[in-house]
Amino acid sequence: MSLSIFDRKRILVTGGAGFLGSHLCERLLNDGHDVICVDNFFTGTKDNILHLMDNPNFEVMRHDITFPLYVEVEEIYNLACPASPFHYQHDPVQTTKTSVHGAINMLGLAKRVGAKIFQASTSEVYGDPEVHPQTENYTGSVNPIGPRACYDEGKRCAETLFFDYNRQYNLDIRVARIFNTYGPRMHPNDGRVVSNFIVQALKGEPITIYGDGSQTRSFCYCDDLIEAFVRMMDAPSGITGPINMGNPAELTIRGLAEVVIEMTGSKSALEIHPLPMDDPMQRCPDITKAKTELAWEPSTSLEDGLRKTIAYFAEIVC
């Protein structure tokens, strides 16, 4: 799409070379905007954005948002942070810094230039929930000293900062709580359940299940989630969130493994391992707020989304 100079926005995407960030950059460029992709390439990769490099409206900066950044933009999408337990527990102090110092730096930038700013928060703020499905007014059940706390509490603190900047400085904020999302460009070794299962199935390796597999998750395809991001950013200024974004269709982990084995034609067996500490037993969003305020709900079926994701991994691991 080609926009006039008056309609084209200058948009910053932190974590723009990551799984979701790269899809967001692609969407914003297709909508005709100028996009600055910022990434320190800890979990992001240039492979995710190579196809965007020739676009004259696309710019890439290697930068860690725990340090200040000075650019002139109108919108900021703050997606920078390792999102899988394998990666965020690798350096938990840096994970907390990315969530907290990164939020402070991006909020400071937004305040300085008068930009609208979006925070990619997470369903992990609910911890191991005692309410099911989770609504936005549920305050969560989180272990602040456990191995997942660097991510869970880091994201909770980031939300606090966003709403304090909104109250204290009248900053235009948007906070989205992202539930399990999957699709092409996921890191093959990130330890997340969809990528794990697909890679193991394609290689004919045992499918690793933690616990008895009865724990539930809900899985949203990446294109649906990016649509929700854009709708929230384009919504009126009163729509601050937090808003749950995910697919309310619930599935057990064992059920997902069986679907992946069937769709890949794999002969992989299931291999049971102990459940990690603080791993939630249930995770499913109530998306009433997203439906009401954004007129959004996911439209991609699990089978269609998995088919596209399996095709992607088949090219890079086989």
Side-chain angles (χ1 to χ4, degrees), residues 10 14 40 61 95 192 224 242 250 257 267 301:
R10 295 168 297 171
T14 72
N40 69 352
M61 296 177 62
T95 296
R192 285 190 266 196
D224 290 335
E250 204 171 358
K267 299 187 184 302
S301 70

Side-chain angles (χ1 to χ4, degrees), residues 129-204:
E130 298 166 349
V131 171
H132 191 75
Q134 291 81 62
T135 59
E136 290 87 352
N137 60 4
Y138 173 56
T139 54
S141 174
V142 178
N143 178 4
I145 60 171
R148 301 170 69 101
C150 59
Y151 185 69
D152 303 0
E153 296 287 31
K155 289 289 191 177
R156 285 164 68 93
C157 185
E159 287 196 14
T160 299
L161 286 162
F162 266 70
F163 279 91
D164 282 340
Y165 265 77
N166 173 256
R167 286 184 286 260
Q168 188 167 340
Y169 302 116
N170 199 33
L171 195 66
D172 192 350
I173 66 164
R174 313 296 159 103
V175 176
R177 290 177 177 166
I178 302 167
F179 283 68
N180 293 64
T181 305
Y182 69 99
R185 301 183 206 148
M186 294 182 80
H187 196 293
N189 299 317
D190 69 3
R192 285 190 266 196
V193 64
V194 173
S195 51
N196 260 14
F197 285 2
I198 292 175
V199 170
Q200 290 170 338
L202 289 172
K203 290 182 174 181

Side-chain angles (χ1 to χ4, degrees), residues 209-275:
I209 290 183
Y210 296 95
D212 62 6
S214 64
Q215 63 269 41
T216 65
R217 297 293 185 271
S218 58
F219 300 99
C220 183
Y221 188 63
C222 55
D223 288 354
D224 290 335
L225 189 74
I226 297 305
E227 175 65 26
F229 285 7
V230 173
R231 289 195 188 195
M232 189 175 191
M233 192 63 113
D234 290 344
S237 59
I239 308 295
T240 59
I243 294 182
N244 289 339
M245 294 181 182
N247 193 327
E250 204 171 358
L251 183 68
T252 66
I253 295 300
R254 182 179 289 270
L256 175 67
E258 292 168 351
V259 170
V260 169
I261 289 171
E262 180 181 353
M263 291 187 69
T264 56
S266 175
K267 299 187 184 302
S268 295
L270 303 183
E271 186 174 272
I272 306 301
H273 290 254
L275 194 67

